[in-house]
Amino acid sequence: VLDYKTGRDIPLRAADVGTGYLLQLKLYVTLLNSMYPSRAIRPAIVWTANASLMWLDEAVAQIGWEQAQLAG
């Protein structure tokens, strides 16, 4: 899953990606895993301001749905 983000504040590490972005990707991964259980679904953000790709497998796997209360 590639999510394109246009913001200029680009984190240097996956650990610094905003909670809202991680939860958004977690939702995409959860839905796609239910639709394609035999496929590996990997989340990433494409930062358009500097044309970089950041894989977020661990960060998305580690964030809990309870964080949605804090992000909103």
Side-chain angles (χ1 to χ4, degrees):
V1 176
L2 296 180
D3 193 359
Y4 290 79
K5 299 296 183 192
T6 59
R8 297 219 176 263
D9 295 326
I10 300 168
L12 297 176
R13 305 174 308 136
D16 298 328
V17 172
T19 301
Y21 289 164
L22 296 176
L23 287 167
Q24 182 181 12
L25 283 165
K26 187 175 189 79
L27 177 60
Y28 297 159
V29 169
T30 301
L31 291 172
L32 288 169
N33 276 331
S34 70
M35 294 169 62
Y36 306 102
S38 63
R39 304 264 178 140
I41 308 296
R42 295 188 65 203
I45 291 178
V46 176
W47 301 102
T48 61
N50 70 353
S52 65
L53 175 68
M54 182 182 286
W55 290 105
L56 296 168
D57 302 80
E58 285 187 41
V60 168
Q62 290 176 358
I63 194 152
W65 291 114
E66 68 279 358
Q67 295 295 313
Q69 292 293 329
L70 301 174

